[in-house]
Amino acid sequence: MTVPLDVRNDIRSMDAGGVPRAEIARRLRLSRNTVARYADMADMSPEPPVPADRPHPAIDPHIGWIDDLLEADLGAPRKQRHTAKRIYDRLVKERGYGGSYSSVQRHVRRWRLERATGVRGGFLELEWAPGTAQADYGNFEAVVSGERLRLKLLALTLPHSNARYAVAGMSQRSECMCAGLADIFGWIGRSPRELVLDNATEAGRRVRGEVTESHLFSLFRAHYRMGSRYCNPNSGNEKGSVENAVGFLRRNLLVPVPRVGSLDELNALLRDGCDRLNAASRARDGRPVPEALAEDLAAMLALPSAPFDAVRWTRCRSDKRGMVTVDGRGYMAGPAWHSRELLVGVRADTVEILADRGRRVAVLPRAFGDGPAVRNPLSLVPALIARPRAFGESVIRRDMPEALVRAIDSLDAAGRRRVLRSISRAAAPSGFEAACAAAQRVIEGGRVPDDATVDVLARRIAAGRPAAKGGADLAVYDGFLREGGARAC
């Protein structure tokens, strides 16, 4: 039974408030098992909407045999490889298969897709109960790594104690807001019982008195078992605490315009500043904030055991270059994934691209605003291995050391393929830069790189243990390879 999000929130809110589960089941007209399932759920993070694997009793006993045929076909001429129809005929004749042809066809298609690597008037004074929080956004500017950026300040206040917290981000999209709130909750060590927001955030919208909450924020709220309330953005007194806090924190912590090396450094400064201001401030009743904050913390909720993954999943079709467009910005999956429907998970600082049944294609840094496509040089390597002669015009050249590019240019197609494959395999544990540096040193040592040598040397470089001056000492690797050859004989 699928339970709507608002009913899940009711179950978790009532369970957090101490309502017996039998009473929850009676009020919501649900079974006790359903109430227990959603009340005990540790993680409400959204999962990739990929179909779950299910058993196929007719074809499952033959999967290994089919996979062996397809694997052996990789060494056969293209026009002499098994089709799904030929595999089906052999299954019926040789193995007594009694299932359908469509099951065979689906498995063959899935196997080939998974292994595809080639290119194809006055205000009323309000009294706020302990444990209630308000959240709002403000704008500010900062110089990050030498670039002046327009950023968003997500502020959260506890009006009862007047405690104020803030984090900086690039956007106020729902995934950025949920990630920022999760950071603040972890900072406080508790989550609020109720969060007051307005239409300015992407948590929800009030239209003619009706609130429509975003799917991601509903999951976020259910994860932390908290309630929410939306007020009129034009009525400042409804959440005056956080609106005042945005201006207060901006004046006290962001003037003059901060100059930092990264967004993480900026958030560390904001955290230190908020802790300092909270320690020196007073609540509305005149008590020190730390004293009143103890009452807020006592009324707030314990954090869930599992962290919330603030991710917005969307389906995109890649273009002929293997690029998907999300929020107006291009992200390169790679030519091997051209003209395919891909699943894209958008987080506050990364974009994850999945294919088929959840197979990870790439994880790229999130970009905002206009600019070039975001890419990882490694996403281009499978296509270059399939077409090594295209290296001469590939954009990957700008990501490699010039000496390595010249060395690869001097090789024939087989040599290029060998170098690129060794870089691709070494980059997985050591990173692209270390793999390129290792391949270059092997070439400078007078040899064409191989997988084992480049991998070992790249790991040393990534660990901060570069080879001695004058290039890599490859004698140890030569000895290792000779020993391996002798044992093989």
Side-chain angles (χ1 to χ4, degrees):
M1 174 183 179
T2 302
V3 177
L5 267 178
D6 57 341
V7 178
R8 297 184 214 175
N9 283 329
D10 290 341
I11 292 172
R12 293 172 69 85
S13 296
M14 285 191 279
D15 184 65
V19 179
R21 294 187 177 182
E23 178 65 13
I24 297 174
R26 187 187 66 78
R27 291 187 193 178
L28 300 180
R29 297 183 179 180
L30 298 171
S31 71
R32 294 189 183 185
N33 288 342
T34 300
V35 170
R37 176 154 58 98
Y38 287 105
D40 293 336
M41 194 172 289
D43 188 2
M44 295 290 291
S45 301
E47 297 180 354
V50 296
D53 288 330
R54 57 186 180 85
H56 302 84
I59 195 174
D60 281 349
H62 309 286
I63 290 296
W65 185 82
I66 296 173
D67 290 351
D68 288 343
L69 281 184
L70 295 171
E71 192 74 37
D73 271 356
L74 295 178
R78 184 171 297 276
K79 293 186 178 181
Q80 291 178 257
R81 297 179 182 178
H82 284 80
T83 63
K85 181 65 169 61
R86 177 60 180 147
I87 291 175
Y88 172 75
D89 291 340
R90 289 190 61 183
L91 278 171
V92 173
K93 182 179 179 180
E94 300 175 24
R95 298 177 64 89
Y97 175 64
S100 67
Y101 166 64
S102 60
S103 295
V104 177
Q105 193 176 34
R106 281 193 297 270
H107 178 74
V108 171
R109 181 175 181 275
R110 186 182 307 121
W111 190 95
R112 287 175 175 161
L113 283 174
E114 288 175 352
R115 288 156 182 79
T117 57
V119 176
R120 309 185 37 180
F123 295 130
L124 292 172
E125 184 174 358
L126 304 178
E127 183 174 350
W128 295 90
T132 302
Q134 299 178 7
D136 201 8
Y137 271 103
N139 299 316
F140 74 101
E141 293 186 358
V143 178
V144 181
S145 299
E147 182 181 1
R148 196 178 188 96
L149 301 178
R150 291 184 60 83
L151 301 173
K152 300 293 183 180
L153 184 71
L154 174 60
L156 182 135
T157 64
L158 303 174
H160 175 76
S161 61
N162 199 31
R164 293 164 285 215
Y165 308 89
V167 295
M170 295 292 297
S171 170
Q172 62 185 62
R173 294 297 299 261
S174 57
E175 63 275 7
C176 298
M177 185 196 66
C178 291
L181 288 174
D183 286 345
I184 294 175
F185 295 168
W187 173 3
I188 298 172
R190 308 278 284 179
S191 61
R193 286 191 175 275
E194 184 175 53
L195 185 62
V196 180
L197 313 104
D198 66 22
N199 288 358
T201 67
E202 289 208 3
R205 298 285 180 181
R206 178 189 290 274
V207 180
R208 292 187 291 275
E210 291 291 328
V211 174
T212 302
E213 200 166 64
S214 77
H215 179 75
L216 180 59
F217 185 72
S218 288
L219 288 171
F220 176 82
R221 191 164 62 81
H223 185 86
Y224 286 95
R225 301 174 183 252
M226 65 182 179
S228 64
R229 179 154 57 86
Y230 295 85
C231 59
N232 184 346
N234 297 317
S235 300
N237 64 312
E238 294 186 24
K239 57 176 183 60
S241 172
V242 71
E243 291 197 350
N244 290 334
V246 169
F248 177 80
L249 295 173
R250 193 161 42 200
R251 290 189 302 273
N252 285 273
L253 302 179
L254 300 171
V255 176
V257 173
R259 294 178 175 272
V260 294
S262 66
L263 203 58
D264 288 340
E265 182 182 342
L266 176 59
N267 277 318
L269 292 175
L270 283 172
R271 182 164 183 164
D272 290 343
C274 288
D275 288 341
R276 185 176 63 253
L277 291 172
N278 287 336
S281 299
R282 293 189 172 271
R284 185 170 299 181
D285 59 8
R287 291 182 296 163
V289 164
E291 180 181 330
L293 179 59
E295 298 171 0
D296 264 325
L297 295 175
M300 295 171 76
L301 301 171
L303 296 179
S305 58
F308 184 79
D309 184 11
V311 54
R312 170 167 53 94
W313 292 101
T314 182
R315 292 190 181 275
C316 299
R317 188 165 189 84
S318 61
D319 63 14
K320 62 183 180 181
R321 296 170 295 169
M323 184 172 70
V324 297
T325 301
V326 180
D327 297 338
R329 195 67 179 263
Y331 296 88
M332 185 65 72
W337 303 96
H338 75 99
S339 307
R340 296 271 292 274
E341 184 177 87
L342 302 172
L343 189 60
V344 181
V346 186
R347 296 179 174 85
D349 53 2
T350 63
V351 170
E352 180 181 12
I353 304 176
L354 305 180
D356 306 328
R357 293 179 175 269
R359 176 185 178 187
R360 177 177 287 177
V361 173
V363 177
L364 301 168
R366 176 87 179 268
F368 297 88
D370 297 329
V374 182
R375 62 186 180 86
N376 182 337
L378 277 177
S379 66
L380 304 174
V381 175
L384 290 172
I385 292 174
R387 295 194 313 182
R389 297 189 186 278
F391 179 80
E393 291 73 39
S394 174
V395 295
I396 200 174
R397 298 166 69 91
R398 71 182 69 159
D399 301 301
M400 291 179 164
E402 291 183 9
L404 178 60
V405 171
R406 289 195 300 270
I408 296 176
D409 283 341
S410 67
L411 299 173
D412 59 12
R416 289 183 180 185
R417 183 178 290 113
R418 185 177 180 184
V419 174
L420 293 169
R421 185 180 293 113
S422 68
I423 291 173
S424 175
R425 293 179 178 176
S430 305
F432 183 72
E433 291 184 3
C436 287
Q440 180 179 337
R441 291 186 182 181
V442 174
I443 291 173
E444 290 172 350
R447 290 181 50 188
V448 177
D450 62 87
D451 293 352
T453 305
V454 174
D455 180 47
V456 172
L457 188 53
R459 290 174 187 268
R460 290 183 59 85
I461 294 172
R465 301 193 303 273
K469 291 184 179 180
D473 180 5
L474 302 177
V476 64
Y477 305 123
D478 291 335
F480 171 76
L481 294 175
R482 281 196 298 270
E483 289 180 13
R487 284 196 296 268
C489 294

